[in-house]
């Protein structure tokens, strides 16, 4: 949906597990910024929380020089089934990119969610990025993504896509 909202203003999405040159992909000067996301499958873990290829590259991300690169994160989770770990992997991505010097954008309010705890809630009342729960609030997903994407475009200082 993010790519649909951004249209031609965004590069084609890439699966991190299929990126052959991580440094080149994350530092591409032709991009205004990056939007990265992951689910949380490895609940309760201190690291390797996504259960995806991100778990294999977060240490590499921390070692990159991303000063000035604007990055937004989103996460997918189940706030009812895993309310104690809701979108925890999103925080792991956020802290990895921040450690590399990226300018993090795209925080999102926790209002309207029904989780009990989340590492992604990095300041009271806000997630470090967009939290998506297709299992319990799927009807809100498209609207949240559209609103968040507009926010991220503005925070990145990127060119807004033409209205579709």
């Amino acid at each position: 949906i993010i790519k649909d909202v951004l249209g031609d203003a965004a590069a084609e999405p890439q699966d991190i597990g299929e990126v052959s040159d991580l440094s080149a992909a994350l530092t591409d000067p032709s991009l205004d910024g990056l939007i990265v996301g992951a689910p949380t499958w490895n609940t309760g873990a201190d690291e390797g929380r996504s259960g995806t290829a991100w778990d294999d590259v977060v240490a590499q991300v921390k070692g990159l020089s991303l000063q000035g690169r604007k990055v937004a994160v989103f996460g997918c989770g189940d706030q009812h089934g895993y309310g104690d770990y809701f979108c925890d992997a999103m925080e792991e991505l956020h802290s990895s990119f921040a450690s590399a010097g990226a300018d993090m954008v795209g925080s999102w309010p926790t209002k309207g969610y029904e989780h009990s705890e989340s590492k992604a809630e990095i300041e009271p009342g806000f997630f470090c990025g967009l939290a998506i729960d297709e299992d319990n609030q799927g009807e809100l997903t498209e609207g949240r993504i559209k609103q968040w994407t507009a926010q991220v475009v503005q925070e990145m200082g990127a060119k807004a896509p033409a209205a579709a």
Side-chain angles (χ1 to χ4, degrees):
I1 297 174
I2 294 170
K3 172 63 174 150
D4 292 340
V5 171
L6 293 174
D8 292 337
E12 285 300 315
Q14 297 182 45
D15 183 320
I16 195 66
E18 297 174 7
V19 172
S20 59
D21 186 345
L22 183 70
S23 178
L26 299 181
T27 61
D28 182 344
S30 71
L31 303 176
D32 290 323
L34 301 170
I35 298 174
V36 299
T40 298
W41 287 108
N42 194 9
T43 57
D46 289 329
E47 56 186 38
R49 296 180 211 141
S50 78
T52 70
W54 275 113
D55 297 343
D56 299 327
V57 299
V58 290
Q60 293 174 47
V61 170
K62 291 177 186 177
L64 295 174
S65 177
L66 298 176
Q67 282 74 17
R69 169 66 68 186
K70 298 206 184 281
V71 177
V73 297
F74 67 91
C76 303
D78 176 347
Q79 64 192 308
H80 294 167
Y82 300 94
D84 291 340
Y85 314 103
F86 183 55
C87 291
D88 279 359
M90 180 168 51
E91 182 279 329
E92 189 170 15
L93 291 181
H94 182 275
S95 64
S96 296
F97 280 91
S99 292
D103 294 332
M104 303 306 296
V105 299
S107 64
W108 187 253
T110 59
K111 184 177 181 182
Y113 294 88
E114 301 169 352
H115 64 292
S116 52
E117 194 171 324
S118 176
K119 290 178 176 150
E121 191 173 340
I122 58 170
E123 60 182 87
F126 286 90
F127 292 115
C128 58
L130 178 63
I132 298 170
D133 184 347
E134 274 291 291
D135 292 333
N136 301 292
Q137 294 182 329
E139 73 282 359
L140 300 176
T141 297
E142 186 172 346
R144 284 176 172 166
I145 290 173
K146 287 179 177 180
Q147 185 178 354
W148 179 76
T149 302
Q151 172 190 323
V152 166
V153 166
Q154 182 178 18
E155 290 176 7
M156 285 186 177
K159 294 176 188 160

